[in-house]
Amino acid sequence: MSQNEDLRIGVYVCHCGSNIASVIDPKAVAEFASALPDVVLTNNSLYTCSDAGQRQIQEDIKNHKLNRVVVAACSVRLHEPTFRACVAEAGLNPFLFEMANIREQDTWVHSHEPEGALEKAKDLVASAVAKSRFLTPLDMIKVPVTKTAMVIGGGVAGISSALDLADMGIKTYLVEKEPSIGGRMAQLNKTFPTMDCSI
Amino acid sequence: MVDAARHPNITVKSYTEVKRVEGFIGNFKVLVEEKPRYVNMDRCNGCGACSPVCPIEIPNEFEEGIAPRKAIYIPHAQAVPLRYVIDEEACIHCYKCVDACGKLDAIDFSQQPRQEWLDVGSILVATGFDNFDPSVIKEYGFGRYANVITAMELERINNSAGPTAGRIMRPSDSKFPNKISFIQCVGSRDERYNLYCSGFCCMYTIKNAVQWKQTYPDADITIFYMDIRTPSKGYEEFYRRAREMGIRFIQGRPSIITEDPKTGNLFIQAEDVGLGRTIELESEMVILSTAAIPRVDTDAMGSVLNISRSPDGFFMEYHPKLRPVDSPTDGVFLCGAAQSPKDIPASVAQGSAAASRAARILNADEWEIEPIVAMVWEDRCISAQGKKCGICATKCPYGAILVETGKAAMVTAAKCHGCGGCVAECPHNAITQKHFTDAQVISQLHALLRHEPEKKVLAFMCHWCSYGGADNAGTSHFEYPASQRGLRVMCSARMDSDFIFEAFRLGAGVVLVSGCHPQDCHYITGQRVGAERFEKLTKRLVDMGISPQRFRVEWISAAEGAKYAQVIREMDQTLRQIDPQALKEEIERTRPELERRVRRLPEIPDVALALELAKATS
Ligand SMILES: Cc1cc2nc3c(=O)[nH]c(=O)nc-3n(C[C@H](O)[C@H](O)[C@H](O)COP(=O)(O)OP(=O)(O)OC[C@H]3O[C@@H](n4cnc5c(N)ncnc54)[C@H](O)[C@@H]3O)c2cc1C
Ligand code: SF4
């Protein structure tokens, strides 16, 4: 656990082009982060999620023996999977990665309050760094897969998906609540764009 | 349709509904119920001897009520499966059909609803849409004026297999109408009903108008529209052709339709935007292009499947741009008009997209799921010491925790979805959630409140909804004060009372706990576990002397960015209205009691260290 470990945290503050950098100075955030305990490296890049940005993280993990990575950029809902995969490729457990959302939840909503946005970015980074100290490596849980699909709704969308799945060799239940499949399309006369009959 | 029924890998379960879904990606168990057809599917050969003898006649839904059907019927001539069915509500049990069926002996009134559990690895939701009922727009007289019909009714009248055998006639007098008008955006793009564009009605109206004009070149056809939407391949060209054929397009939404009761003809009043004045037009028949709306049972299906709705009411995708056919629940996908109104080409494309997303999982030998699950500290669990407890198990929506007195509670990791409700509810702090441990959350709290905490709006957010709502505020650039500090956990169920006590102990100005609306909760009942706790907590905080306006609970969906921004604005405003000196005094006054509340926190592994580190850094 963390108390026995020599922590080496790397913090990456992204510009996201001008999305972040037009409101706050990412360098100031990085400078702030460099003063936090156990942070051994900070970095700014134009786009941390770019190939070059990710490669930099991977090289730093190797060269600077980083064992925690914090990226301050966009939403976890967007790029957490990207960066987890990035650190994993460099041999770091993906759950030793943490993210601070300084775009959607900071510069994009506080563009008229740049000073407040900067203070907030620092706090968000401090929070991510603080959490990162207590992160532990985790392994994905592997579950078996039942190789059968269920499609609910037998309209044209459901029928198309069921046929595709079935052609891929997957057993598929097509569940339709009416006595017949077909959905609305079955009611139509001729259909655009081809003007042929619908069924 | 026939291809699907014939495919060796497809089992069509018609007249069947989904009742319950359990399990998780790769391992769903689905309870389905087949309604009784009262006709034996193996014996019925679709000969049709039964239907003519049935004395009952009720409106035929497939024909939009224009034609009747019997109580024993097939939905339409191309039905798949082509087997008769008895409409239980309409049937009077005269048994004439039994006699007509004779030796085939296919009619079986002893049938009961049949339930079965099916094991599947992935679920695709393709439940489609409903048509808006235009009778609520009183000005158009649908339901009162015989010759005002819907576009779907026209599809049936204009169909060689339809009730008029394709002979076009208007309802009032069965005469052929030569002068007809179409009205677009009925129930769509209208603040009173639905804001969205239904997408395909411009094209189907043009289709129907072109077809009509081709068959009857003398016909006088007018289309009243707001804007014509033809964005897909070849559609604009099709629209051009309609104009070239002499179909009249008038931009303007009709305000009222009146009827001449003698002729049954209709008078449409509309503002003609092109002419810049009001016009009146007589028509022998008016066809309403009604909006595509969410299915009536969308809410019920949503809660069975644990998926939520967008503000327009259709099922919500995981991400509108990057994961358009994924639902927020792993292993459940969306396609077709269930996700938003779309035409056939788009529905087919999404069907294929959803199939390939599902096949990724179904063709894998095993699937990896996130290890963000609950874990018991056996030495802290009082059940292990022989005391009766089991609170954790009662809070788990998935039945993932097994408690036997004498043994520590046991979590089945593959069943745990990681809401964290058990963790927050355990009175002995004997469970933690991996990746959202107490030490981690408390470290974050201290960092976020390290500087002028009394000026901060501390916002706990759940990953799926309120954090998504905050993101949505961001992508929409809805500004709110920078005094907000957000802390994300997976579900409102994880927001431990201790976290809130600790936030106030640290001097937070105001505290927000925010999560999904109950019907949107990604952990079935996780939100409810949180909501019950917050209700008690609200009272307790007041008892402790904390001003009620300093604590707020809000349910905010991932689509409600405007609401998120508004809530933060209001909370910031509230905070500014409190006299700073009074606030300071309140914080000092309540601190001893808050300290008492959180005194046992340091017993939790790593928390003491987290507190020590926080002190050193501040
Ligand atoms: C008047 C009109 C004319 C149109 N003309 C055209 C045209 O010319 N060209 C074109 O491209 N598009 C046209 N469309 C659009 C077309 O109808 C849709 O694109 C298409 O029907 C969408 O298919 P779907 O499978 O998503 O939904 P649906 O067709 O609605 O099918 C959904 C199916 O799911 C079933 N279902 C629903 N709920 C459940 C449940 N809980 N359990 C099990 N089953 C369930 C339903 O019974 C139905 O069979 C027209 C639409 C209208 C209204
Ligand atoms: S497709 Fe055309 S008629 Fe339908 S809602 Fe959109 S603009 Fe209106």
Side-chain angles (χ1 to χ4, degrees), chain A residues 84 95 138, chain B residues 370-374 416-418 433-436 490:
Chain A
R84 275 192 186 162
F95 292 89
L138 300 175
Chain B
E370 285 213 340
I372 301 180
V373 293
C416 172
H417 284 48
Q433 180 183 15
K434 291 183 181 171
H435 215 58
F436 289 88
M490 293 311 284

Side-chain angles (χ1 to χ4, degrees), chain B residues 184-185 188-189 196-202 227-229 289:
Chain B
Q184 297 307 103
C185 298
S188 307
R189 308 178 64 201
Y196 57 83
C197 166
S198 296
F200 50 64
C201 12
C202 279
D227 298 285
I228 292 289
R229 305 241 155 131
S289 298

Side-chain angles (χ1 to χ4, degrees), chain B residues 407-520:
Chain B
K407 286 187 197 155
M410 214 180 74
V411 177
T412 306
K415 275 191 171 179
C416 172
H417 284 48
C419 66
C422 56
V423 185
E425 290 292 325
C426 172
H428 303 280
N429 292 322
I431 314 185
T432 190
Q433 180 183 15
K434 291 183 181 171
H435 215 58
F436 289 88
T437 65
D438 293 274
Q440 289 168 355
V441 175
I442 285 170
S443 303
Q444 286 185 283
L445 258 181
H446 280 252
L448 294 171
L449 296 171
R450 69 197 170 91
H451 185 60
E452 297 189 322
E454 70 287 353
K455 294 191 179 157
K456 301 289 167 3
V457 178
L458 183 77
F460 288 95
M461 299 177 279
C462 78
H463 174 78
W464 304 100
C465 294
S466 51
Y467 185 90
D471 276 358
N472 182 280
T475 44
S476 318
H477 297 266
F478 294 142
E479 300 247 336
Y480 55 82
S483 57
Q484 181 262 18
R485 294 292 179 273
L487 201 164
R488 178 183 66 103
V489 291
M490 293 311 284
C491 175
S492 46
R494 176 69 183 100
M495 298 170 195
D496 200 316
S497 302
D498 286 347
F499 297 161
I500 293 139
F501 292 140
E502 181 69 354
F504 280 122
R505 186 184 75 86
L506 291 171
V510 290
V511 175
L512 169 71
V513 292
S514 61
C516 303
H517 293 277
Q519 70 274 18
D520 295 347

Side-chain angles (χ1 to χ4, degrees), chain B residues 498-554:
Chain B
D498 286 347
F499 297 161
I500 293 139
F501 292 140
E502 181 69 354
F504 280 122
R505 186 184 75 86
L506 291 171
V510 290
V511 175
L512 169 71
V513 292
S514 61
C516 303
H517 293 277
Q519 70 274 18
D520 295 347
C521 178
H522 286 66
Y523 305 98
I524 312 175
T525 51
Q527 185 270 356
R528 207 186 308 154
V529 171
E532 281 168 12
R533 179 187 319 133
F534 305 146
E535 215 180 291
K536 285 191 214 125
L537 188 62
T538 305
K539 290 195 198 97
R540 197 177 295 168
L541 290 170
V542 174
D543 290 346
M544 290 163 73
I546 289 171
S547 309
Q549 68 269 36
R550 290 180 62 207
F551 181 62
R552 185 161 165 180
V553 183
E554 281 292 344

